[in-house]
Amino acid sequence: MGSPSRRNIIAGAGAGLFAGIGVNAAPAPLWSNEYWTKKGDVPLNLFRKRAGSPRKGDAVLPVLFLVHGSSISSRPSFDLTVAPGHGEYSVMNTFARLGFDVWTMDHENYGRSGRTESNSNIASGVEDLKAAVEVVARETSLNSYHFFGESSGALRAGAFAIERPERVGRLVLAAFTYKGEGSSTLAQRAKQLDEYRAHNRRLRDRDMIRGIFTRDKAGTSDPAVADALADLELKFGDQAPTGTYLDMIVNLPIVDPARVHAPVLLIRGEYDGIATVDDLAEFYKRLPNGDRQFVILPGMAHSVVLGLNREQFWHSMHAFLSMPKPVSG
C-alpha cells in the first residue's frame, strides 16, 4: 500500500482534532468580513468568520459573539496566528469550523475602533455591544446569539445579558469575577487605585502582555503566544483604558446573578488569580436558570483561550453551546 498524500495527512489531522470534541471539521473554506457601526459618534469595528460566505437560501448558522478583555483587542484575542508548529490558537477559526457564525468587536478605545477621552469601563462596553448586535441582526436575520466573554469581557457580556436578555441565547463566562473577595490579582491592582482614578490610560507594553500568562502560574502557556499577541496588539499603541480595572477594584459586584436568566457556563482556569473558587461558586449558586455549568480546567491560568490546554476550553464551550434543548416534564 502506498504512502498517504500530504493532502490526506492534513485532512486527517484536522478531522482528528475535531473528532476529539465530537464533530467533523467543516469542509467549506473559512470566510471573513469586517463591519462598522457607531455608538453615538464613536466608530466601532466588528469582525466575522464562518465556514463559507453567507448565501441567500442557506441554513442560518448559530451566532457566537466573542467579547474581549481589558488589555487586548478582539482579533489578537480571538483570531491569533502563532508561528508554524505551535498549533491553532484562533477561537474564531475553531468555532467557525464547528458550524458557528463567529463575531467579535473592538470596544471603544481598543484596536481598530474609535479613540475618545473615555476610560472605557464596563458600562461603556455594554453600550458597545448594544450597537454591535444591531449589525449582527441585520446581517444574519437572527435576534438571539450565544455570547462568550473572558475576564472583563465576561463582565461586559454578563451585564449585557441583564440589560438585553432577549438578545442572549447561551452565555459563557471565563476568567470571571463576582465580588472579587480573595482575588490575588485584584489585590495587586488595588495598589494602583489612585493612578487608575487619576488617569484614563495605563501602560500596556510587551512585558505587561507577557505577564498576563506568567503572573498566576508559569508554564501554563507557550511563550511564543505572548510574543505573537504583543506583535499584533502593540500596533495599536502601548496604552490601554483603565475603566475595567477601576470597576473590578471598586465597583464589584457588577453582574447580579439573580438577574441573569440565560443558561450560563462558568469556566475557570485552575490557577487563575482573578477570582477564587468560592467567589465563583457563590455566583453560580445564585443563578436562577437550572441550565448551568461550572467547569474548572486543569493546568490553565487566567487565559483559557490562549493556554496550553485550550482544546479543553474548546470542548467545554462547544458541549455547552450544542446542548440539546431540555424536555419539559
Side-chain angles (χ1 to χ4, degrees), residues 185-238:
T185 299
L186 296 184
Q188 287 298 314
R189 290 181 188 172
K191 297 176 182 178
Q192 297 176 277
L193 176 58
D194 290 342
E195 181 178 345
Y196 298 147
R197 281 178 164 156
H199 303 284
N200 286 349
R201 300 290 179 271
R202 58 183 170 84
L203 182 65
R204 187 273 320 271
D205 59 8
R206 186 173 293 270
D207 285 342
M208 184 271 163
I209 292 171
R210 287 172 174 162
I212 295 171
F213 301 96
T214 60
R215 70 189 186 210
D216 295 321
K217 180 75 171 178
T220 56
S221 63
D222 183 341
V225 171
D227 285 329
L229 196 66
D231 289 343
L232 290 176
E233 190 59 36
L234 293 177
K235 294 177 182 179
F236 303 116
D238 65 355

Short mmCIF file of all heavy atoms in Angstrom, two decimals, residues 185-238:
data_model
loop_
_atom_site.label_atom_id
_atom_site.label_comp_id
_atom_site.label_asym_id
_atom_site.label_seq_id
_atom_site.Cartn_x
_atom_site.Cartn_y
_atom_site.Cartn_z
N THR A 185 -5.03 38.82 42.15
CA THR A 185 -4.82 39.76 41.04
C THR A 185 -5.40 41.13 41.37
O THR A 185 -4.75 42.17 41.18
CB THR A 185 -5.45 39.23 39.75
OG1 THR A 185 -4.83 37.99 39.41
CG2 THR A 185 -5.25 40.21 38.60
N LEU A 186 -6.62 41.16 41.88
CA LEU A 186 -7.26 42.44 42.19
C LEU A 186 -6.59 43.11 43.38
O LEU A 186 -6.54 44.35 43.45
CB LEU A 186 -8.75 42.23 42.44
CG LEU A 186 -9.55 41.72 41.24
CD1 LEU A 186 -11.04 41.65 41.58
CD2 LEU A 186 -9.32 42.57 40.00
N ALA A 187 -6.03 42.33 44.31
CA ALA A 187 -5.29 42.92 45.42
C ALA A 187 -4.06 43.67 44.91
O ALA A 187 -3.72 44.76 45.41
CB ALA A 187 -4.89 41.84 46.42
N GLN A 188 -3.40 43.12 43.91
CA GLN A 188 -2.24 43.79 43.32
C GLN A 188 -2.66 45.05 42.58
O GLN A 188 -2.02 46.10 42.69
CB GLN A 188 -1.52 42.83 42.38
CG GLN A 188 -0.74 41.73 43.08
CD GLN A 188 0.38 42.28 43.96
OE1 GLN A 188 1.14 43.16 43.56
NE2 GLN A 188 0.46 41.76 45.18
N ARG A 189 -3.75 44.97 41.84
CA ARG A 189 -4.21 46.15 41.09
C ARG A 189 -4.65 47.27 42.03
O ARG A 189 -4.50 48.45 41.71
CB ARG A 189 -5.37 45.76 40.16
CG ARG A 189 -4.95 44.90 39.00
CD ARG A 189 -6.13 44.57 38.11
NE ARG A 189 -5.75 43.59 37.10
CZ ARG A 189 -6.61 43.00 36.28
NH1 ARG A 189 -7.91 43.30 36.34
NH2 ARG A 189 -6.20 42.12 35.40
N ALA A 190 -5.20 46.90 43.17
CA ALA A 190 -5.69 47.91 44.11
C ALA A 190 -4.57 48.83 44.59
O ALA A 190 -4.82 49.97 45.01
CB ALA A 190 -6.37 47.23 45.29
N LYS A 191 -3.33 48.38 44.53
CA LYS A 191 -2.20 49.21 44.93
C LYS A 191 -2.03 50.41 44.00
O LYS A 191 -1.38 51.39 44.37
CB LYS A 191 -0.92 48.38 44.95
CG LYS A 191 -0.94 47.25 45.97
CD LYS A 191 0.31 46.39 45.87
CE LYS A 191 0.28 45.24 46.88
NZ LYS A 191 1.49 44.37 46.75
N GLN A 192 -2.62 50.35 42.81
CA GLN A 192 -2.53 51.43 41.84
C GLN A 192 -3.87 52.16 41.66
O GLN A 192 -4.09 52.84 40.67
CB GLN A 192 -2.05 50.90 40.49
CG GLN A 192 -0.65 50.30 40.53
CD GLN A 192 -0.25 49.69 39.21
OE1 GLN A 192 -0.60 48.55 38.91
NE2 GLN A 192 0.46 50.45 38.41
N LEU A 193 -4.73 52.02 42.66
CA LEU A 193 -6.07 52.60 42.56
C LEU A 193 -6.04 54.10 42.30
O LEU A 193 -6.78 54.61 41.44
CB LEU A 193 -6.85 52.31 43.85
CG LEU A 193 -8.26 52.92 43.95
CD1 LEU A 193 -9.14 52.46 42.80
CD2 LEU A 193 -8.89 52.55 45.30
N ASP A 194 -5.20 54.83 43.00
CA ASP A 194 -5.16 56.28 42.82
C ASP A 194 -4.77 56.64 41.38
O ASP A 194 -5.30 57.59 40.80
CB ASP A 194 -4.18 56.91 43.80
CG ASP A 194 -4.67 56.86 45.24
OD1 ASP A 194 -5.89 56.65 45.44
OD2 ASP A 194 -3.84 57.02 46.16
N GLU A 195 -3.85 55.88 40.82
CA GLU A 195 -3.43 56.13 39.44
C GLU A 195 -4.57 55.87 38.46
O GLU A 195 -4.79 56.64 37.53
CB GLU A 195 -2.23 55.25 39.09
CG GLU A 195 -1.70 55.47 37.69
CD GLU A 195 -0.50 54.62 37.38
OE1 GLU A 195 0.10 54.07 38.33
OE2 GLU A 195 -0.15 54.49 36.19
N TYR A 196 -5.30 54.80 38.67
CA TYR A 196 -6.42 54.48 37.77
C TYR A 196 -7.53 55.51 37.89
O TYR A 196 -8.23 55.80 36.92
CB TYR A 196 -6.96 53.08 38.07
CG TYR A 196 -5.97 51.97 37.85
CD1 TYR A 196 -5.98 50.82 38.65
CD2 TYR A 196 -5.00 52.05 36.85
CE1 TYR A 196 -5.06 49.80 38.47
CE2 TYR A 196 -4.08 51.02 36.65
CZ TYR A 196 -4.12 49.92 37.46
OH TYR A 196 -3.21 48.90 37.28
N ARG A 197 -7.71 56.06 39.08
CA ARG A 197 -8.72 57.10 39.26
C ARG A 197 -8.30 58.41 38.59
O ARG A 197 -9.13 59.17 38.11
CB ARG A 197 -8.98 57.33 40.75
CG ARG A 197 -9.89 56.29 41.37
CD ARG A 197 -10.07 56.52 42.85
NE ARG A 197 -11.22 55.77 43.38
CZ ARG A 197 -11.36 55.41 44.63
NH1 ARG A 197 -10.42 55.71 45.52
NH2 ARG A 197 -12.42 54.74 45.03
N ALA A 198 -7.01 58.65 38.55
CA ALA A 198 -6.49 59.92 38.03
C ALA A 198 -6.28 59.91 36.53
O ALA A 198 -6.23 60.98 35.91
CB ALA A 198 -5.18 60.27 38.73
N HIS A 199 -6.16 58.72 35.94
CA HIS A 199 -5.82 58.63 34.52
C HIS A 199 -6.76 57.65 33.80
O HIS A 199 -7.12 56.62 34.36
CB HIS A 199 -4.38 58.17 34.34
CG HIS A 199 -3.37 59.07 35.01
ND1 HIS A 199 -3.00 60.29 34.51
CD2 HIS A 199 -2.68 58.90 36.17
CE1 HIS A 199 -2.11 60.84 35.31
NE2 HIS A 199 -1.91 60.03 36.35
N ASN A 200 -7.10 57.98 32.57
CA ASN A 200 -7.95 57.10 31.77
C ASN A 200 -7.17 56.09 30.95
O ASN A 200 -7.77 55.28 30.22
CB ASN A 200 -8.85 57.92 30.84
CG ASN A 200 -9.98 58.59 31.59
OD1 ASN A 200 -10.23 58.29 32.76
ND2 ASN A 200 -10.67 59.51 30.94
N ARG A 201 -5.83 56.12 31.04
CA ARG A 201 -4.99 55.18 30.31
C ARG A 201 -3.92 54.62 31.26
O ARG A 201 -3.52 55.27 32.21
CB ARG A 201 -4.30 55.85 29.11
CG ARG A 201 -5.26 56.43 28.08
CD ARG A 201 -5.99 55.36 27.30
NE ARG A 201 -6.91 55.97 26.34
CZ ARG A 201 -8.17 56.30 26.60
NH1 ARG A 201 -8.68 56.10 27.80
NH2 ARG A 201 -8.93 56.84 25.66
N ARG A 202 -3.45 53.41 30.94
CA ARG A 202 -2.37 52.76 31.68
C ARG A 202 -1.42 52.14 30.66
O ARG A 202 -1.77 51.88 29.52
CB ARG A 202 -2.92 51.69 32.63
CG ARG A 202 -3.71 50.62 31.91
CD ARG A 202 -4.31 49.58 32.85
NE ARG A 202 -5.26 48.71 32.15
CZ ARG A 202 -4.92 47.65 31.44
NH1 ARG A 202 -3.65 47.28 31.36
NH2 ARG A 202 -5.84 46.92 30.85
N LEU A 203 -0.20 51.85 31.12
CA LEU A 203 0.80 51.25 30.24
C LEU A 203 0.43 49.80 29.95
O LEU A 203 0.10 49.03 30.84
CB LEU A 203 2.18 51.31 30.90
CG LEU A 203 3.34 50.74 30.07
CD1 LEU A 203 3.57 51.58 28.82
CD2 LEU A 203 4.62 50.69 30.92
N ARG A 204 0.52 49.45 28.67
CA ARG A 204 0.27 48.08 28.22
C ARG A 204 1.37 47.74 27.20
O ARG A 204 1.16 47.78 26.00
CB ARG A 204 -1.13 48.00 27.61
CG ARG A 204 -1.67 46.62 27.22
CD ARG A 204 -1.28 46.20 25.82
NE ARG A 204 -1.34 47.29 24.86
CZ ARG A 204 -2.42 47.62 24.16
NH1 ARG A 204 -3.53 46.96 24.29
NH2 ARG A 204 -2.37 48.63 23.28
N ASP A 205 2.57 47.43 27.71
CA ASP A 205 3.70 47.16 26.85
C ASP A 205 3.94 45.65 26.72
O ASP A 205 3.14 44.84 27.21
CB ASP A 205 4.96 47.88 27.35
CG ASP A 205 5.35 47.47 28.77
OD1 ASP A 205 4.76 46.51 29.31
OD2 ASP A 205 6.27 48.10 29.33
N ARG A 206 5.03 45.27 26.08
CA ARG A 206 5.30 43.85 25.84
C ARG A 206 5.46 43.08 27.16
O ARG A 206 4.94 41.96 27.29
CB ARG A 206 6.54 43.70 24.98
CG ARG A 206 6.83 42.25 24.54
CD ARG A 206 7.97 42.19 23.54
NE ARG A 206 7.60 42.83 22.28
CZ ARG A 206 7.02 42.19 21.25
NH1 ARG A 206 6.76 40.89 21.36
NH2 ARG A 206 6.71 42.83 20.16
N ASP A 207 6.14 43.66 28.13
CA ASP A 207 6.32 42.97 29.40
C ASP A 207 4.98 42.75 30.10
O ASP A 207 4.75 41.70 30.72
CB ASP A 207 7.26 43.75 30.31
CG ASP A 207 8.71 43.63 29.89
OD1 ASP A 207 9.04 42.70 29.12
OD2 ASP A 207 9.53 44.48 30.30
N MET A 208 4.09 43.76 30.03
CA MET A 208 2.78 43.61 30.65
C MET A 208 2.00 42.47 29.98
O MET A 208 1.35 41.65 30.65
CB MET A 208 2.01 44.93 30.56
CG MET A 208 0.65 44.92 31.26
SD MET A 208 -0.67 44.36 30.16
CE MET A 208 -1.92 43.98 31.38
N ILE A 209 2.07 42.41 28.65
CA ILE A 209 1.35 41.36 27.92
C ILE A 209 1.92 39.99 28.28
O ILE A 209 1.17 39.03 28.50
CB ILE A 209 1.40 41.63 26.41
CG1 ILE A 209 0.57 42.87 26.07
CG2 ILE A 209 0.91 40.42 25.61
CD1 ILE A 209 0.71 43.36 24.65
N ARG A 210 3.23 39.88 28.36
CA ARG A 210 3.83 38.61 28.78
C ARG A 210 3.37 38.23 30.19
O ARG A 210 3.15 37.06 30.50
CB ARG A 210 5.35 38.72 28.74
CG ARG A 210 5.94 38.71 27.33
CD ARG A 210 7.42 39.01 27.35
NE ARG A 210 8.04 38.87 26.05
CZ ARG A 210 9.22 39.39 25.71
NH1 ARG A 210 9.91 40.09 26.61
NH2 ARG A 210 9.72 39.21 24.50
N GLY A 211 3.21 39.24 31.05
CA GLY A 211 2.81 38.98 32.42
C GLY A 211 1.42 38.39 32.57
O GLY A 211 1.13 37.72 33.56
N ILE A 212 0.55 38.63 31.58
CA ILE A 212 -0.79 38.03 31.61
C ILE A 212 -0.69 36.51 31.73
O ILE A 212 -1.50 35.86 32.39
CB ILE A 212 -1.58 38.41 30.34
CG1 ILE A 212 -1.85 39.91 30.30
CG2 ILE A 212 -2.90 37.63 30.25
CD1 ILE A 212 -2.42 40.40 28.97
N PHE A 213 0.36 35.94 31.10
CA PHE A 213 0.50 34.50 31.01
C PHE A 213 1.41 33.90 32.07
O PHE A 213 1.51 32.67 32.17
CB PHE A 213 1.02 34.13 29.61
CG PHE A 213 0.12 34.58 28.51
CD1 PHE A 213 0.35 35.79 27.85
CD2 PHE A 213 -0.99 33.83 28.14
CE1 PHE A 213 -0.49 36.23 26.85
CE2 PHE A 213 -1.84 34.26 27.13
CZ PHE A 213 -1.59 35.46 26.48
N THR A 214 2.07 34.73 32.85
CA THR A 214 3.01 34.21 33.85
C THR A 214 2.65 34.61 35.27
O THR A 214 3.20 34.03 36.22
CB THR A 214 4.44 34.71 33.55
OG1 THR A 214 4.47 36.15 33.58
CG2 THR A 214 4.91 34.21 32.19
N ARG A 215 1.75 35.55 35.47
CA ARG A 215 1.53 36.10 36.82
C ARG A 215 0.91 35.07 37.75
O ARG A 215 1.11 35.12 38.98
CB ARG A 215 0.65 37.35 36.74
CG ARG A 215 -0.79 37.08 36.35
CD ARG A 215 -1.56 38.36 36.07
NE ARG A 215 -2.97 38.10 35.84
CZ ARG A 215 -3.74 38.85 35.06
NH1 ARG A 215 -3.22 39.90 34.44
NH2 ARG A 215 -5.01 38.56 34.92
N ASP A 216 0.11 34.13 37.23
CA ASP A 216 -0.55 33.15 38.09
C ASP A 216 0.25 31.85 38.21
O ASP A 216 0.41 31.31 39.30
CB ASP A 216 -1.95 32.83 37.56
CG ASP A 216 -2.87 34.02 37.61
OD1 ASP A 216 -2.81 34.77 38.59
OD2 ASP A 216 -3.66 34.20 36.66
N LYS A 217 0.71 31.35 37.07
CA LYS A 217 1.41 30.07 37.05
C LYS A 217 2.22 29.96 35.77
O LYS A 217 1.66 29.80 34.69
CB LYS A 217 0.40 28.91 37.14
CG LYS A 217 1.01 27.52 37.12
CD LYS A 217 1.67 27.16 38.43
CE LYS A 217 2.07 25.69 38.46
NZ LYS A 217 2.77 25.33 39.72
N ALA A 218 3.52 30.06 35.88
CA ALA A 218 4.38 29.91 34.71
C ALA A 218 4.25 28.49 34.17
O ALA A 218 4.03 27.53 34.92
CB ALA A 218 5.82 30.20 35.08
N GLY A 219 4.38 28.35 32.85
CA GLY A 219 4.32 27.03 32.24
C GLY A 219 2.95 26.61 31.78
O GLY A 219 2.78 25.51 31.25
N THR A 220 1.92 27.46 31.98
CA THR A 220 0.57 27.12 31.53
C THR A 220 0.29 27.62 30.12
O THR A 220 -0.80 27.39 29.59
CB THR A 220 -0.48 27.71 32.49
OG1 THR A 220 -0.28 29.13 32.59
CG2 THR A 220 -0.37 27.09 33.87
N SER A 221 1.28 28.30 29.51
CA SER A 221 1.11 28.80 28.15
C SER A 221 2.45 28.73 27.43
O SER A 221 3.51 28.62 28.05
CB SER A 221 0.58 30.24 28.15
OG SER A 221 1.52 31.11 28.77
N ASP A 222 2.40 28.80 26.12
CA ASP A 222 3.58 28.81 25.27
C ASP A 222 4.10 30.25 25.19
O ASP A 222 3.34 31.15 24.81
CB ASP A 222 3.18 28.30 23.88
CG ASP A 222 4.34 28.20 22.91
OD1 ASP A 222 5.38 28.83 23.14
OD2 ASP A 222 4.18 27.49 21.89
N PRO A 223 5.36 30.51 25.53
CA PRO A 223 5.88 31.88 25.44
C PRO A 223 5.73 32.52 24.08
O PRO A 223 5.62 33.74 23.96
CB PRO A 223 7.36 31.71 25.82
CG PRO A 223 7.41 30.48 26.66
CD PRO A 223 6.36 29.57 26.09
N ALA A 224 5.70 31.70 23.02
CA ALA A 224 5.53 32.23 21.67
C ALA A 224 4.18 32.92 21.51
O ALA A 224 4.03 33.82 20.67
CB ALA A 224 5.69 31.12 20.63
N VAL A 225 3.20 32.50 22.30
CA VAL A 225 1.86 33.09 22.20
C VAL A 225 1.89 34.54 22.67
O VAL A 225 1.33 35.43 22.01
CB VAL A 225 0.85 32.27 23.02
CG1 VAL A 225 -0.49 32.98 23.11
CG2 VAL A 225 0.66 30.90 22.39
N ALA A 226 2.51 34.80 23.81
CA ALA A 226 2.58 36.16 24.33
C ALA A 226 3.28 37.08 23.34
O ALA A 226 2.87 38.23 23.14
CB ALA A 226 3.28 36.18 25.68
N ASP A 227 4.35 36.60 22.72
CA ASP A 227 5.08 37.44 21.77
C ASP A 227 4.27 37.69 20.51
O ASP A 227 4.25 38.81 19.98
CB ASP A 227 6.43 36.81 21.43
CG ASP A 227 7.43 36.95 22.57
OD1 ASP A 227 7.35 37.97 23.31
OD2 ASP A 227 8.27 36.06 22.74
N ALA A 228 3.57 36.67 20.01
CA ALA A 228 2.71 36.87 18.84
C ALA A 228 1.59 37.85 19.16
O ALA A 228 1.23 38.71 18.35
CB ALA A 228 2.13 35.53 18.38
N LEU A 229 1.04 37.73 20.36
CA LEU A 229 -0.02 38.63 20.80
C LEU A 229 0.49 40.06 20.88
O LEU A 229 -0.16 41.01 20.41
CB LEU A 229 -0.52 38.16 22.16
CG LEU A 229 -1.85 38.70 22.67
CD1 LEU A 229 -3.00 38.21 21.81
CD2 LEU A 229 -2.07 38.27 24.12
N ALA A 230 1.66 40.24 21.49
CA ALA A 230 2.23 41.58 21.62
C ALA A 230 2.54 42.19 20.26
O ALA A 230 2.33 43.38 20.04
CB ALA A 230 3.49 41.53 22.47
N ASP A 231 3.06 41.38 19.32
CA ASP A 231 3.37 41.89 17.99
C ASP A 231 2.13 42.50 17.34
O ASP A 231 2.22 43.55 16.69
CB ASP A 231 3.90 40.76 17.09
CG ASP A 231 5.30 40.30 17.48
OD1 ASP A 231 5.99 41.05 18.21
OD2 ASP A 231 5.70 39.20 17.05
N LEU A 232 0.99 41.86 17.51
CA LEU A 232 -0.25 42.37 16.92
C LEU A 232 -0.82 43.53 17.72
O LEU A 232 -1.22 44.56 17.16
CB LEU A 232 -1.29 41.25 16.83
CG LEU A 232 -1.03 40.14 15.81
CD1 LEU A 232 -2.09 39.06 15.93
CD2 LEU A 232 -1.01 40.70 14.40
N GLU A 233 -0.85 43.39 19.03
CA GLU A 233 -1.54 44.38 19.86
C GLU A 233 -0.80 45.71 19.93
O GLU A 233 -1.42 46.78 19.96
CB GLU A 233 -1.77 43.82 21.26
CG GLU A 233 -2.68 44.66 22.13
CD GLU A 233 -4.07 44.85 21.54
OE1 GLU A 233 -4.59 43.91 20.90
OE2 GLU A 233 -4.63 45.95 21.71
N LEU A 234 0.52 45.68 19.95
CA LEU A 234 1.28 46.92 20.11
C LEU A 234 1.25 47.80 18.87
O LEU A 234 1.66 48.96 18.93
CB LEU A 234 2.72 46.60 20.52
CG LEU A 234 2.85 45.98 21.92
CD1 LEU A 234 4.29 45.63 22.24
CD2 LEU A 234 2.28 46.92 22.99
N LYS A 235 0.70 47.28 17.78
CA LYS A 235 0.45 48.12 16.62
C LYS A 235 -0.57 49.21 16.96
O LYS A 235 -0.62 50.25 16.28
CB LYS A 235 -0.06 47.29 15.44
CG LYS A 235 0.96 46.31 14.89
CD LYS A 235 0.37 45.46 13.77
CE LYS A 235 1.38 44.45 13.25
NZ LYS A 235 0.81 43.58 12.18
N PHE A 236 -1.37 48.97 17.97
CA PHE A 236 -2.38 49.94 18.40
C PHE A 236 -1.88 50.83 19.53
O PHE A 236 -2.65 51.61 20.09
CB PHE A 236 -3.65 49.21 18.84
CG PHE A 236 -4.24 48.31 17.78
CD1 PHE A 236 -4.30 46.94 17.96
CD2 PHE A 236 -4.70 48.84 16.58
CE1 PHE A 236 -4.82 46.10 16.99
CE2 PHE A 236 -5.23 48.01 15.60
CZ PHE A 236 -5.29 46.65 15.80
N GLY A 237 -0.60 50.73 19.86
CA GLY A 237 -0.02 51.58 20.91
C GLY A 237 0.21 50.82 22.20
O GLY A 237 -0.23 49.68 22.37
N ASP A 238 0.92 51.48 23.12
CA ASP A 238 1.28 50.83 24.38
C ASP A 238 0.43 51.32 25.55
O ASP A 238 0.84 51.23 26.71
CB ASP A 238 2.77 51.04 24.69
CG ASP A 238 3.12 52.51 24.94
OD1 ASP A 238 2.24 53.38 24.77
OD2 ASP A 238 4.28 52.78 25.30
#
